[in-house]
Amino acid sequence: MTEQDMTRSAEFLEERVSYLEESNQRFMSILEMLASSSEFQGDLSRAKDQAGIFKATANQLRRLFPFQTMGFLDSQSDGSFELVVADPTDTHDTLQTLIDARMMDGTFAWALNRNQAVLVPTDKGETLVLQVVATQSCVRGMFAGMLPGHSATLDAPSLNALSIVLYTCAYALESTILYGMLHDHAQHLEERVLLRTRDLEEARRQAEAASLAKSDFLANMSHEIRTPMNGVMGMTELLLQGGLTPQKENLYLHAIKDSADSLMLIINDILDFSKIEAGKFTLEKIPFGLRDLLERCLSMLRIKTEEKGLKLLHQVDPAVPACLIGDQGRLRQVLINLVGNAIKFCQEGQISVDVGLASREEDEIVLHVRVSDTGIGIAEEACQRIFNQFEQADSSTTRKFGGTGLGLAICKKLVELMDGKIWVESRLGVGSCFHFTARLLLGNEELLLADQEMGTVSGQHQQTPLTILLADDVEINRALAQAILEPQGHRLTFAVDGLKALEAFKSNQFDIVLMDIQMPEMDGLQATRAIREYERSMGRTAPVPVIAMTAFAGSEDRQICIDAGMNDYLTKPIKPAQLLLILSKFCNNRTVAQQIEPGPDEVKTAPQAAPQEQDDAVAVFAQHELLERLGGRAEMIPRFVALFCKGVLPQLEGLISALAEEDADGVRRHAHAIKGSAGNIAAQRMQQTAAMMEKAAKEGDLSQAPQSLAALQLEYKAFIDAVGTLGFFVETG
C-alpha cells in the first residue's frame, strides 16, 4: 500500500469515527431525553381527551426535533381521517393541503401500513414526515410534521425516538377511550340500577297492595261463607233435635234453603272468576229477545225492591232490534249483578235500567246499558278500583252490606269477552250510574221464533217416529241413547262397529244415522265415507243425515267430521234436549219433543262444536245429569251403572297392557273409550282423568301415564262407592 493510500484510509477512518461518535452522542441524548420524560408522562396523565393527548405529544416532539409545523389526524369510524390538532394553529390549512396531496398520490396510505416514518421532500426544500399513530391492535390516527431541509435531518436514532413517542401517544389514546367507555358503562349501569331499584320498589309496593287486597278478600270471603254455613248448621242441628211443630220445621227448612242459596251464589262467583282467569270461559251465540230477557231478569229482582220500598224502572230504546244473537245467560248475569248491587246499596228512591244503541253496523250492534240508583254512591278515587279483582270501594261496605267483592270484577271480564267496556259515574251520598257496552250480532224474528219453538216443551205435537241407526261400540252408550229415544216413539237399530253400521245402512231405510267416531273394524269417519259412496252409487239425491256422537270436542274435530260427509256434531256426554233438538233440526221437526223444559244452561240450537267446558267443581258422580238422561227414572240407575262397569273394566285392562308395551296409540284409544263411557254415566272425575290421559298419549307423552292409570282406578272405585252411598245396589261383577 502506498503512502497516499494510507493517508486516504486514515482520513476515512477518522471521518467514520467522528460520525459514529456524533451518532452515539445523538442517540444517547435522545435516550436520556426519553428516559427523563416524566414531564411528557405527566402531560399525558393530565390530558382529559383526545385533543389533550395530541397536544401533550406535540410538546414532547418539540423537545426532541426541530419541527416547524406539526399536526395530528384522528381516525374516524368510517375510515377517513380528520385533522384535529395543528401546531401552530394558524398552519392548519397549509398542513391540510399538504396532507390532501399525499392522500391523492398514495403516500398517506403507504405510511399507514409502515411501522416507521415516511419522509417526503416538498417543493420548498423541506421534508414532510408522516407516521401512523397505532397500537398493535388498532390505528388511532396519523402524525404529520414539517422539518427544514432534506431528510438527512432525521437519522435512525431520531426515527426510533419518534416511533417511541407516537407509540406512547397511541396507547394513551386507547387507554383514554377505554376509560371513557368504562366510565359511560359505569354511569349507565348506575342509571340502570337506579331504574331497576325503582321498578323493584314499585313491584314490591304493588305486591304488598295485592297481598293486602287478597287478605281483605279472604277475610271477607271467610265471613261470607261462614254466615250461610252457620245458618245451615245451626238450623240443621235444631231440626235434628226434634220436637218442633210443622210450622217451625218449615220455617227452619226455608232458612236452610236461603242459606244454601247464598252459599251457592258465592261459590258460583268464585268458579266463574276462576274459569275466566284460566281462559276456559267461552260465550254462546244463541238468538234471544232482548226485551223479554230484560223483563224476566228484572222480575226476579222486583221482590227485593218491593221489600225495601224501592221503584225498579226500565226502558229500551225503540231503535234496539227485537232479536239479537249472543250469550244471553252472561248478559243476564251482568245485569243481575249490577241491579243487585244497586238494590243492596240503595235505601230509598229508585233504580232504573236504560238500554240504548251505541252503534249499528251491517250485521252487528253495540248496546249501551245504564243501571242508575239513588244509593250511597262511590268515592271518586275508588271508581276505577272497584272493578279490580280482590278489591272493593271500601272494606267497611262489606261488613255493612255483605258480598264477596268479586261481582264487579266478573262483570268486567264478561263485558270484555263481549267486546265491550264497563265504567261508573258516581257521587257520594247522591247515587251511582254503571255503564257497560256489549257487541252482539243481529238476528231476525223468524230465527227467534224458530228457536223458541225448538225450546218449547210440548207433548201435543207428536208426529211420525223416526227410524234411527245408532252406531256405537260401547254398550252403555247404546243403552242411554235407547233410554232417551225409545220413550219418544223412535225405532232404533244398533251397530257395534262401522262395518256393521254400513251393512245395516245398505239393508234398511233410515231417517238419520247417529255415528260414534272411534269404533273397531271401521271407525265412524270411514263408515260415513262408505255410506256417502254407497248413496252416490245408488243415485240418491237426498243423503241421509249423519250426526257424529263422540267425546272428541275440538273445533278441528268437527271439521274432520264435516269433511268425512257428516252433517253435524254432538259432544258426549249427550243431553236429551241436545239430542232431540238435533233430530228436529235434520228431520223436518218430525220428532216427539221430550216433556222436560231445557234449563237456562241447555243448548237451544244445534251444537256448534265448541269444546265442552269442564266444570271446576268436578263430581265423582253427578246423579242429576244421569237422571236427566234417563228421564228422571232413578230405578234405571243400577242397570246403567252395571253396564258401565261391564264395559269399562276391559278398557282398564287394555290400558294396563298398552302401558306395559309403551303403546301410546293403544293408551289413547282405551282412555278415549273410558272418557266417553264415564261422561255418559256422569262419572265426571273419571271422565276428566281419562281425558287428560288421552291428551297426553295423543301427544306421545307416557311419562305420567302410570300415575294417571292409578288415579283412574281410584276414581273408578270412588264412583262405585258414591253410587252405593246413594242407596243403589250395583252388581259390578
Side-chain angles (χ1 to χ4, degrees), residues 647-675:
V648 84
L649 287 174
Q651 298 293 347
L652 286 171
E653 293 175 359
L655 263 181
I656 295 171
S657 299
L659 270 178
E661 298 170 3
E662 297 185 351
D663 177 8
D665 187 62
V667 171
R668 179 192 61 79
R669 285 187 288 103
H670 291 298
H672 176 82
I674 294 172
K675 179 182 74 174

Side-chain angles (χ1 to χ4, degrees), residues 20-69:
L20 290 175
E21 286 178 348
E22 289 178 2
S23 296
N24 186 54
Q25 186 176 1
R26 175 70 175 160
F27 187 74
M28 293 301 295
S29 176
I30 291 173
L31 286 179
E32 288 175 4
M33 181 68 72
L34 292 175
S36 60
S37 60
S38 59
E39 187 175 354
F40 176 40
Q41 294 296 333
D43 290 343
L44 288 178
S45 63
R46 286 189 293 272
K48 301 297 183 183
D49 54 17
Q50 187 181 51
I53 292 173
F54 282 143
K55 289 180 180 178
T57 305
N59 291 335
Q60 176 69 356
L61 291 176
R62 283 208 179 279
R63 299 186 189 106
L64 299 173
F65 308 105
F67 284 113
Q68 295 175 332
T69 303

